[in-house]
Amino acid sequence: MNIQTIVTGETYELLVAGRIDGEGAHHLEEAVLKSMRAGAKSIYVNLASATFICSAGLRVLLQYWRQMKNSQRLLLATRPSPEVDAVLVTSGFRDMLVEKV
Amino acid sequence: MLPIREAEAGGPAYGGSGVAASLLEAQGAGTRALAWPLTAMRREIFARGEVLFKVGEPADKMFYVIRGAIRLPELNLRIPAGQIIGEMGVLSPLKERTASAVCEEDLEVYTMDRQQVVELFRKDPVLALELVQTSIKRFIENAKAEAEGLERTRSELRIAHDIQTSMLPHRFPAHADRTDFETYALMEPAKEVGGDFYDFFTVGKHTLYALVGDASGKGISAALFMAIAKALLKSEAQRGFPPHRVLSRVNHLLCPDNERCMFVTAFCVRLDTQTGLVECANAGHNPPIRVFQEGTAAFQETPPGVALGIQSDAKYSCRKFKLRCGDGLFLYTDGVTEAANPQQQLFSERRLLACVAERCRQPLEVLLRGVRAEVAGHALQEPQSDDITMLGLRYQGGGATFPKGARSRSPRATWPARPGGHYRGRK
């Protein structure tokens, strides 16, 4: 899995490519934390090139979605690939986590 | 610590400065006394709590402890006065610390840098050899201690595995006295313990509950959350609530104090064993497969519901339908459909449906083990990355015409395909 970070002011976009498995979830968490520590007001996790997400990956998104929300900041997933979208729909977290376009 | 005076009598001189060497025994040197050239070494004082070095740092010197004690936190070892420390890093080709060292007490040490150690090999080969032997002995002891620690952890995980397995119904047939339904289940964690679970139990004479769930993550954290969720689900179901109420109540109990955002997906079924009426509710779980006695199977749609533990006000709905004699349900976790092969292709829901349809008239144990074998055949040598759980339920009430088990082997059955989205197994 590969994560590329694009910074525009206080908005961070994390472009995630590949499988978000257990190890990928750990890398995703590190990338999110790094963005938060750098002062990100908004973090968008772009999942267009993510081919898989496991429950540990979902947990990372949920945990930091909640933390950011509690500090009046924002974390959302964007453009989930069909494979990832199916997991988000099944788990019931799509409405909560995915940016409404 | 042995007195320095003894060294003056018997220890070799070193450094060409009329050294009064100390006769002190280094750890691991056995009964042979070692003489350390203290006057050629540098005396240093450290306060209690100070860090001498951290694991991974460059190893530039070794220490000889004169007074106080050092703790190696990663190895849980205490180095008292009279022993050396830091020699492994100095002698190692990696030239870095293999463990951290913290002063447990106020400390007085003599240090020898790498160049002095090299000099030692030339000027006092006997002492240098003892140093190497000490280092090797300590290395072996550390490796042995680590191996023992690993074995203890493995043993504890084996016990945890046994406890987790014993929490699930694992003796089959589970309801040998019942002719109106049949159940079978299997769970294989990817690690020693896992986050998947299943359960089935009767409440009163005519109600059967069946549950399948999957806690987020894997390993010990998932297993702990799974144990809580399973106990709550069973507890609420045993109070006779319909499935959507069971899920709603458990969700409400799991949400508070869940700072790490652990969650569990769950599917809950309640079967009236007199009428075949099924009520089921879904909390973010994979859709079950409904199996028909004719030899077809289809995914059973259920109202969507969010996984348990995150949204305390989440709502769950019930879906009702009737099973006829010989019909059943196949519940599973995503470890089945997401089992990957070496090319990272997933087993998929489509293939699972086909596997179940092909076996839907077989005894439940044969059906489940057949599907498991197909998943293993798909994954080949790719390691199992997620827990694999399956639960089969077959209704045999409502005027069963076949004795238990016989219908499954009937070769004369040729059933018509059902319309609309049903998958018919190969004949």
Side-chain angles (χ1 to χ4, degrees), chain B residues 224-414:
Chain B
L224 286 171
F225 202 69
M226 159 267 173
I228 296 166
K230 180 188 169 294
L232 289 174
L233 285 164
K234 185 166 188 174
S235 169
E236 294 300 316
Q238 280 178 325
R239 298 173 71 178
F241 292 117
H244 67 291
R245 289 264 288 154
V246 170
L247 296 181
S248 179
R249 292 173 70 90
V250 171
N251 180 54
H252 205 70
L253 292 166
L254 287 174
C255 281
D257 306 320
N258 184 13
E259 286 178 11
R260 284 184 55 79
C261 287
M262 297 290 287
F263 63 87
V264 59
T265 69
F267 197 87
C268 181
V269 176
R270 180 165 79 169
L271 170 69
D272 183 327
T273 60
Q274 282 186 304
T275 64
L277 177 69
V278 167
E279 296 162 275
C280 58
N282 191 350
H285 200 77
N286 303 68
I289 295 175
R290 191 166 162 188
V291 176
F292 299 92
Q293 58 157 327
E294 296 94 327
T296 61
F299 282 107
Q300 174 63 51
E301 285 185 17
T302 51
V306 70
L308 307 172
I310 302 296
Q311 271 186 311
S312 60
D313 59 348
K315 300 278 187 286
Y316 300 93
S317 310
C318 235
R319 171 63 52 91
K320 296 181 184 181
F321 54 88
K322 260 191 154 182
L323 295 180
R324 295 164 303 155
C325 178
D327 288 354
L329 283 172
F330 178 89
L331 279 56
Y332 58 97
T333 57
D334 58 7
V336 178
T337 49
E338 292 174 0
N341 65 10
Q343 291 76 43
Q344 295 305 309
Q345 294 163 324
L346 307 185
F347 189 71
S348 79
E349 291 186 343
R350 180 187 170 87
R351 185 161 175 195
L352 174 63
L353 182 61
C355 285
V356 172
E358 281 176 18
R359 294 169 174 81
C360 62
R361 289 199 301 269
Q362 294 179 344
L364 288 178
E365 180 175 359
V366 177
L367 190 160
L368 266 63
R369 295 204 175 279
V371 173
R372 179 67 188 93
E374 288 244 8
V375 172
H378 169 79
L380 296 173
Q381 72 273 24
E382 188 72 5
Q384 184 184 334
S385 62
D386 199 0
D387 308 333
I388 288 179
T389 299
M390 300 179 227
L391 184 152
L393 159 67
R394 185 174 275 140
Y395 178 57
Q396 296 172 157
T401 51
F402 297 105
K404 196 172 182 177
R407 125 214 106 261
S408 304
R409 292 183 288 276
S410 173
R412 57 194 163 80
T414 50

Side-chain angles (χ1 to χ4, degrees), chain B residues 91-235:
Chain B
L91 295 173
S92 142
L94 298 175
K95 298 177 182 172
E96 63 181 37
R97 297 299 182 195
T98 55
S100 307
V102 182
C103 300
E104 194 173 72
E105 301 164 10
D106 289 345
L107 197 71
E108 179 184 356
V109 292
Y110 280 81
T111 62
M112 182 183 277
D113 63 26
R114 181 181 296 278
Q115 188 55 43
Q116 285 178 298
V117 173
V118 172
E119 283 284 298
L120 187 66
F121 278 83
R122 188 172 60 81
K123 294 184 173 172
D124 188 350
V126 175
L127 184 58
L129 181 63
E130 291 285 358
L131 180 65
V132 171
Q133 286 176 341
T134 299
S135 181
I136 291 171
K137 186 175 180 190
R138 187 172 279 173
F139 179 80
I140 291 168
E141 284 171 354
N142 291 351
K144 197 176 164 190
E146 277 190 33
E148 285 170 358
L150 193 61
E151 183 48 40
R152 268 197 303 279
T153 305
R154 281 187 183 143
S155 171
E156 284 168 12
L157 282 171
R158 275 195 294 272
I159 293 167
H161 169 86
D162 292 346
I163 292 170
Q164 188 173 43
T165 305
S166 69
M167 288 166 61
L168 310 175
H170 55 283
R171 292 192 180 87
F172 297 100
H175 300 93
D177 58 326
R178 302 290 296 248
T179 56
D180 48 352
F181 68 86
E182 183 186 3
T183 51
Y184 191 82
L186 59 84
M187 195 271 274
E188 289 180 22
K191 297 183 176 178
E192 286 82 353
V193 290
D196 276 14
F197 63 91
Y198 65 82
D199 205 351
F200 43 77
F201 47 88
T202 53
V203 176
K205 197 176 176 187
H206 302 299
T207 303
L208 172 75
Y209 281 89
L211 299 161
V212 164
D214 181 358
S216 55
K218 284 186 277 292
I220 291 171
S221 61
L224 286 171
F225 202 69
M226 159 267 173
I228 296 166
K230 180 188 169 294
L232 289 174
L233 285 164
K234 185 166 188 174
S235 169

